[in-house]
Amino acid sequence: MSFEPKIVGFLCNWCSYAGADLAGISRLKCAPNVHIIRMMCSGGISPFFILKALEAGADGVLICGCNLGDCHYREGNYKTIRRMTLLKKVLGQLGIEQERVQLHWVCASCGDEFVDVVNRMTADIKELGPSRLGVKSRDLTR
Amino acid sequence: MEDIRTGVYICHCGLNIAGTVDVEEVANYAGTLPAVVVARHYHYMCSDPGQALIKDDIKNLGVNRVVVASCSPRMHEPTFRRACQDAGLNPYLFEHANIREHCSWVHDDKRLATEKAKDLVRAAVRRVSFHEPLEIKERPLNPNVLVVGGGIAGIQAALDIANGEHRVYLVEKEPAIGGHMAQLDRTFPTLDCSECILTPKMTEVGQHPFITLLAYSEVEEVVGSVGNFKVRVKKKARYVDEEKCTGCGVCEEKCPWKVDSEFEMGLGKRGVVYVPFAQAIPHVATIDKEHCVYFLKGKCRACQKFCDAKAIDFEQKDEIVELEVGSIILTTGYDIFDTRRIQQYGYGKYDNILTGLEFERMTCAAGPTEGKVLLKNGQQPGSVAIIHCVGSRDENYHEYCSRVCCMYALKYAHLIKELTKAEVYQMYIDMRCFGEGFEEFYRRVCDEGVNFIRGKVAKVTDVALTEDEQGRLIVAAEDTLLGRMIRVPVDMVILCPALEPRSDADGIAKLFTINRRADGFFMERHVKLDPVATATEGVFIAGCCEGPKDIPDTVAQASAAAAKALSVISRGRVVIEPTTAQVNEVLCQACGRCEEICDFHAPKIISKDGLRVSSVDAALCKGCGACAVVCPTGAMSVRHSTREQIKGMVEALLEV
Ligand SMILES: Cc1cc2nc3c(=O)[nH]c(=O)nc-3n(C[C@H](O)[C@H](O)[C@H](O)COP(=O)(O)OP(=O)(O)OC[C@H]3O[C@@H](n4cnc5c(N)ncnc54)[C@H](O)[C@@H]3O)c2cc1C
Ligand code: SF4
Ligand code: SF4
Ligand code: FES
């Protein structure tokens, strides 16, 4: 069987989750690999959750927030950018490929953009193969 | 610890879900998950019998956690929370799994969709086991309403609310209210005079005991939430005392300096001190500081000398007004597309090319030509071309249809025939005449002998190829019905530019924390079912700030927004969302990071029984979660988005 990556998506409620809803409402089709968790704001997505997901075996983590300037809480997504820059460094030190954690801005009327993000990320991760961290932790728990 | 008894309900949503997801398999699977005591599937969970399943299980089976897997929580989370509450279960002990928008609608493969639905249900079941009952509190609400923008939308909304005897603050950034409608001559399809139907409404606004009109003012800051907004408005200095000014107009007469009148679209002049138009409300003068010679050179004061009312006040300063309101209606309208951007249409380069609004002023009896359609040389045109869709339905500019141009173009054709007997050419892509009386008006204009040419205009030029074209404007277009290029020589060209979002729409959207669509207009909460609400509770939109539309649609939306605001008022109180941040005082080290990161100043380090700890003001907290991310000790968390809840979901998603 081909490799079907598991990707956890953290989406802010106001723009990105609504954008993902719109993809469905418009009956656009996308890869089934991203499992969405609704957060209030991208600025409330703790690096802890991202690391937790990787540790628990996610092959990728997708983070989506409103376009810069459109955050429902004014500047949440700027906080996200700053955090992601740091997190990427840490990931590098842990030997995790940067592409496994991706940040995208998806607006509430961006159904097609969201589908695009999901499909591209799924393709990226398929190319990378399963996450070593995930394989390891799965082996350990077995 | 309490025994967790979860009920899981999988919705078919007709075939919307059941067509792609094996709902029975998902329900059977849910039944095997820890703490699940009952798992069912049903045709429509949101229906009364669907909700009754949940209520009965709460009562009969002692279910104390509920998971519904159906549509988006943005749609029906409130429905199912209410069902729980009705059966005596705290509404926050509910979790929604989105297996329609995020699953059945975006996937084709039934196997994969079913597996994904199972994953999503497993995550929701895990998460709900960490949910806690939250207390819903209510607080009193301020019944005042702020309306921003005094066009016909704002006027209508303000009057509807004020007639219900509630205070309205109407903020208008220009010296007078009226918006674009005040500039129109006659309105399609009935051809009634715009000013005649608008003036009584403007007067009513000016005199209404429940309306406080803040003209020449702008909103600078908005804080708070539905029921309790605090708004700071800057009332710009007019250098004229509004109380004393009688609007007699002597100052404008005596002002030795004249500039282009914005109201007349530059076709007429006004004084540097001026009343924008005859029926202006408030009917007072304003000094245009930018052009005032006294402000520029320190000498003149002609107006002051002649003002009997002693209303001119060069010392006047901007004034800050603080308002408290419970809801807000935005009616900021539209801008007109700058036709200079399409250079090949020659606006600004050749004489006798007008925009729609300029033509409105020309046909208006009170306008700069006293209602005569005239060329630059003072003669009547013998032929006129009207070009539709300038900047609309054009992927280089705006993809959308501006919805009013076809109809006002027909209106112009009729008026030109009536006033000049000139030959008229309509250069259109499609005729869109969809409203009440529109098709009839279209027929009428057809019968008046107007020429309709279907096709996009390529350019307008003065380069003549034949004698007949000499000294005229030539409109070159592809006639898509004849399938060939044509050249139409005319004396006058009227462009129908797109209606576009206000140039400051981005700033206004941020100020009031609402979203904009990809086309730049303000975004409604739901396109079909909630068209005047926005993502922010208590902030409504109406008129052309939501998208191009004609006056009847604008007025209907304005009344809808007013009804929404009135319904907020009559509820009389607001629910305080309990999903705010909370501090575990034992863990808190008072490091202050939460205080630093919060954009709403909700957490503060305080002294409590001699100990320094963080404390969150629930009225200020919006529940974004930024503070919980930076808290190094885990003391800070947001109710209903706790670490355990999110972590539980993540772990559950990735199991198996
Ligand atoms: C050439 C032309 C001809 C038309 N002819 C017709 C017709 O015949 N029949 C018809 O039904 N419709 C017609 N329309 C459409 C009509 O103009 C609109 O439907 C109507 O004016 C929309 O009203 P509004 O209040 O939404 O917006 P606007 O008229 O644009 O009013 C908005 C108001 O808000 C104010 N404002 C903006 N930003 C702020 C801010 N930040 N703070 C405070 N105030 C602000 C503005 O100054 C303005 O007063 C025509 C349009 C055009 C362009
Ligand atoms: S960040 Fe955490 S530990 Fe620091 S003051 Fe705030 S709640 Fe206390
Ligand atoms: S949740 Fe957001 S708004 Fe509330 S205190 Fe924390 S940072 Fe401030
Ligand atoms: S609410 Fe979407 S990023 Fe903050």
Side-chain angles (χ1 to χ4, degrees):
Chain A
M1 215 181 91
S2 69
F3 163 55
E4 285 297 337
K6 275 220 156 184
I7 302 169
V8 177
F10 292 102
L11 272 61
C12 90
N13 177 55
W14 300 99
C15 290
S16 309
Y17 196 92
D21 275 2
L22 186 63
I25 293 163
S26 322
R27 310 294 200 277
L28 305 173
K29 300 295 170 221
C30 66
N33 304 65
V34 175
H35 291 59
I36 296 169
I37 297 181
R38 179 164 69 135
M39 303 295 287
M40 290 320 277
C41 174
S42 75
I45 302 167
S46 167
F48 165 81
F49 298 142
I50 299 168
L51 291 169
K52 185 77 223 167
L54 291 169
E55 183 202 315
D59 299 302
V61 178
L62 169 65
I63 291 127
C64 298
C66 312
N67 284 325
L68 286 177
D70 286 350
C71 171
H72 192 70
Y73 306 97
R74 296 190 195 155
E75 299 198 339
N77 42 13
Y78 286 97
K79 302 183 173 99
T80 316
I81 301 190
R82 272 178 248 137
R83 237 169 250 151
M84 287 293 286
T85 323
L86 271 178
L87 184 71
K88 290 251 173 181
K89 287 211 180 101
V90 176
L91 291 179
Q93 282 160 5
L94 293 174
I96 300 168
E97 300 87 340
Q98 300 232 337
E99 295 85 340
R100 292 204 187 271
V101 178
Q102 298 192 10
L103 170 64
H104 294 276
W105 309 132
V106 173
C107 77
S109 56
C110 299
D112 33 5
E113 278 90 336
F114 179 71
V115 164
D116 211 44
V117 163
V118 166
N119 288 341
R120 268 188 292 137
M121 178 151 184
T122 308
D124 286 352
I125 307 281
K126 278 195 176 164
E127 194 146 305
L128 283 178
S131 152
R132 264 167 297 160
L133 195 67
V135 173
K136 219 189 291 164
S137 71
R138 259 178 300 212
D139 288 348
L140 283 178
T141 46
R142 204 163 280 153
Chain B
M1 229 191 102
E2 158 206 43
D3 192 17
I4 291 179
R5 300 175 61 81
T6 308
V8 182
Y9 306 86
I10 317 290
C11 183
H12 300 196
C13 194
L15 283 178
N16 281 308
I17 294 171
T20 324
V21 169
D22 185 335
V23 282
E24 191 175 343
E25 184 181 328
V26 178
N28 288 340
Y29 170 76
T32 67
L33 295 170
V36 173
V37 293
V38 56
R40 305 181 192 275
H41 56 96
Y42 188 71
H43 304 293
Y44 291 101
M45 279 310 297
C46 60
S47 68
D48 279 350
Q51 294 184 48
L53 291 176
I54 303 176
K55 295 181 195 172
D56 290 347
D57 288 348
I58 292 173
K59 287 180 194 140
N60 304 333
L61 302 179
V63 161
N64 59 14
R65 295 288 187 284
V66 172
V67 170
V68 175
S70 60
C71 50
S72 171
R74 291 173 59 89
M75 182 101 197
H76 269 312
E77 187 176 56
T79 313
F80 297 120
R81 279 187 176 169
R82 224 175 300 123
C84 292
Q85 196 166 18
D86 287 348
L89 187 68
N90 186 283
Y92 290 90
L93 297 176
F94 164 79
E95 175 67 10
H96 210 150
N98 184 344
I99 61 166
R100 191 178 74 175
E101 281 83 343
H102 294 183
C103 188
S104 68
W105 275 351
V106 281
H107 306 316
D108 291 319
D109 185 317
K110 194 157 183 177
R111 196 63 258 133
L112 290 173
T114 304
E115 286 311 317
K116 182 172 175 183
K118 285 190 200 168
D119 291 345
L120 293 173
V121 167
R122 185 172 65 245
V125 166
R126 181 75 53 86
R127 176 179 183 151
V128 83
S129 71
F130 294 108
H131 279 193
E132 286 163 11
L134 300 178
E135 194 190 345
I136 300 161
K137 291 192 195 130
E138 290 180 335
R139 69 185 139 110
L141 152 160
N142 183 319
N144 301 341
V145 181
L146 170 71
V147 178
V148 184
I152 182 59
I155 290 173
Q156 181 69 32
L159 286 174
D160 280 359
I161 295 163
N163 286 338
E165 307 206 335
H166 295 288
R167 171 67 39 201
V168 178
Y169 298 101
L170 176 57
V171 174
E172 165 59 54
K173 73 171 177 194
E174 298 296 332
I177 57 172
H180 286 103
M181 190 176 167
Q183 289 176 286
L184 302 184
D185 172 31
R186 268 158 273 186
T187 56
F188 64 73
T190 45
L191 298 177
D192 39 357
C193 141
S194 186
E195 209 53 76
C196 314
I197 52 179
L198 182 63
T199 306
K201 283 191 179 275
M202 296 202 293
T203 314
E204 202 182 339
V205 166
Q207 297 174 347
H208 206 293
F210 282 92
I211 297 180
T212 308
L213 177 57
L214 296 159
Y216 210 40
S217 301
E218 276 171 57
V219 175
E220 293 210 312
E221 191 186 62
V222 182
V223 293
S225 55
V226 58
N228 298 280
F229 291 106
K230 284 197 173 58
V231 183
R232 201 173 69 216
V233 177
K234 180 166 86 181
K235 218 167 171 285
K236 294 176 278 189
R238 284 180 193 265
Y239 306 104
V240 172
D241 186 333
E242 272 188 48
E243 301 294 320
K244 291 187 188 154
C245 176
T246 59
C248 67
V250 167
C251 52
E252 181 165 7
E253 240 169 67
K254 300 293 177 185
C255 175
W257 316 97
K258 300 288 176 242
V259 293
D260 281 349
S261 155
E262 297 84 358
F263 183 79
E264 300 295 357
M265 301 304 294
L267 298 181
K269 299 277 179 196
R270 62 160 170 83
V272 166
V273 55
Y274 66 111
V275 180
F277 51 100
Q279 303 86 341
I281 299 288
H283 201 72
V284 293
T286 304
I287 294 181
D288 167 2
K289 186 176 181 184
E290 213 182 302
H291 294 106
C292 173
V293 172
Y294 173 70
F295 280 111
L296 293 173
K297 307 218 169 106
K299 254 208 234 103
C300 181
R301 292 188 182 241
C303 50
Q304 199 171 37
K305 243 169 273 156
F306 289 97
C307 176
D308 283 341
K310 304 265 167 285
I312 306 284
D313 174 9
F314 288 103
E315 307 305 313
Q316 204 177 55
K317 296 270 170 309
D318 291 351
E319 192 188 325
I320 298 295
V321 186
E322 307 266 354
L323 306 175
E324 295 192 353
V325 299
S327 40
I328 296 172
I329 301 177
L330 299 179
T331 47
T332 50
Y334 62 94
D335 275 343
I336 299 277
F337 173 79
D338 180 3
T339 41
R340 286 186 183 80
R341 287 176 63 194
I342 308 186
Q343 281 176 11
Q344 60 271 30
Y345 286 178
Y347 181 85
K349 183 171 165 198
Y350 307 123
D351 284 341
N352 301 320
I353 302 185
L354 305 176
T355 66
L357 269 188
E358 288 168 1
F359 191 72
E360 294 282 345
R361 294 318 301 151
M362 195 174 252
T363 56
C364 182
T369 58
E370 289 164 348
K372 293 196 218 38
V373 177
L374 297 177
L375 298 170
K376 246 313 183 7
N377 63 12
Q379 291 179 347
Q380 281 197 346
S383 55
V384 182
I386 305 174
I387 304 181
H388 293 219
C389 302
V390 178
S392 312
R393 307 183 68 198
D394 181 335
E395 53 191 26
N396 297 317
Y397 305 101
H398 299 300
E399 286 185 23
Y400 56 81
C401 160
S402 288
R403 292 178 63 112
V404 292
C405 318
C406 282
M407 286 309 295
Y408 75 63
L410 289 175
K411 169 176 84 176
Y412 295 167
H414 170 84
L415 289 176
I416 293 165
K417 284 282 173 200
E418 185 181 288
L419 298 169
T420 70
K421 310 275 179 280
E423 204 59 51
V424 182
Y425 300 90
Q426 295 274 359
M427 324 288 279
Y428 70 101
I429 306 180
D430 294 295
M431 287 307 295
R432 297 191 163 171
C433 311
F434 45 79
E436 185 186 326
F438 288 12
E439 183 66 21
E440 291 82 344
F441 187 65
Y442 177 29
R443 292 268 147 248
R444 174 176 165 190
V445 174
C446 286
D447 292 343
E448 286 170 353
V450 171
N451 306 292
F452 287 83
I453 298 173
R454 185 171 190 274
K456 185 118 185 122
V457 171
K459 65 175 174 190
V460 178
T461 172
D462 67 349
V463 181
L465 297 182
T466 64
E467 201 156 316
D468 182 40
E469 292 181 359
Q470 245 4 291
R472 305 175 80 188
L473 294 164
I474 303 105
V475 182
E478 188 200 346
D479 185 324
T480 51
L481 295 181
L482 296 177
R484 61 179 164 81
M485 291 302 292
I486 52 162
R487 290 169 65 89
V488 184
V490 293
D491 301 324
M492 178 186 270
V493 171
I494 304 171
L495 303 176
C496 304
L499 275 60
E500 59 182 22
R502 288 274 180 196
S503 56
D504 65 352
D506 187 37
I508 297 294
K510 280 179 195 146
L511 194 57
F512 293 93
T513 42
I514 62 168
N515 297 328
R516 294 197 302 151
R517 289 193 301 259
D519 61 16
F521 288 103
F522 295 156
M523 184 159 168
E524 60 291 90
R525 181 176 293 176
H526 191 286
V527 213
K528 299 193 192 70
L529 301 179
D530 217 352
V532 298
T534 65
T536 297
E537 201 73 40
V539 178
F540 308 103
I541 49 177
C544 290
C545 64
E546 185 271 334
K549 54 181 65 68
D550 61 8
I551 297 164
D553 285 359
T554 297
V555 170
Q557 260 196 347
S559 287
K564 285 271 181 185
L566 286 166
S567 115
V568 170
I569 296 170
S570 63
R571 212 187 309 140
R573 59 210 141 67
V574 274
V575 171
I576 312 181
E577 273 297 324
T579 51
T580 49
Q582 61 182 351
V583 182
N584 179 330
E585 292 177 357
V586 179
L587 295 178
C588 177
Q589 300 284 327
C591 68
R593 294 200 193 165
C594 49
E595 190 174 341
E596 209 172 286
I597 196 135
C598 178
D599 289 325
F600 307 96
H601 313 294
K604 290 238 153 35
I605 305 294
I606 55 158
S607 248
K608 194 172 172 190
D609 308 327
L611 277 178
R612 282 164 50 75
V613 286
S614 173
S615 156
V616 177
D617 182 342
L620 296 178
C621 174
K622 308 257 183 205
C624 70
C627 53
V629 177
V630 296
C631 174
T633 66
M636 187 64 92
S637 66
V638 179
R639 294 183 186 89
H640 214 57
S641 295
T642 64
R643 248 170 192 244
E644 292 71 33
Q645 288 164 11
I646 309 297
K647 182 169 141 256
M649 273 190 110
V650 169
E651 287 172 343
L653 273 180
L654 294 163
E655 269 166 22
V656 297

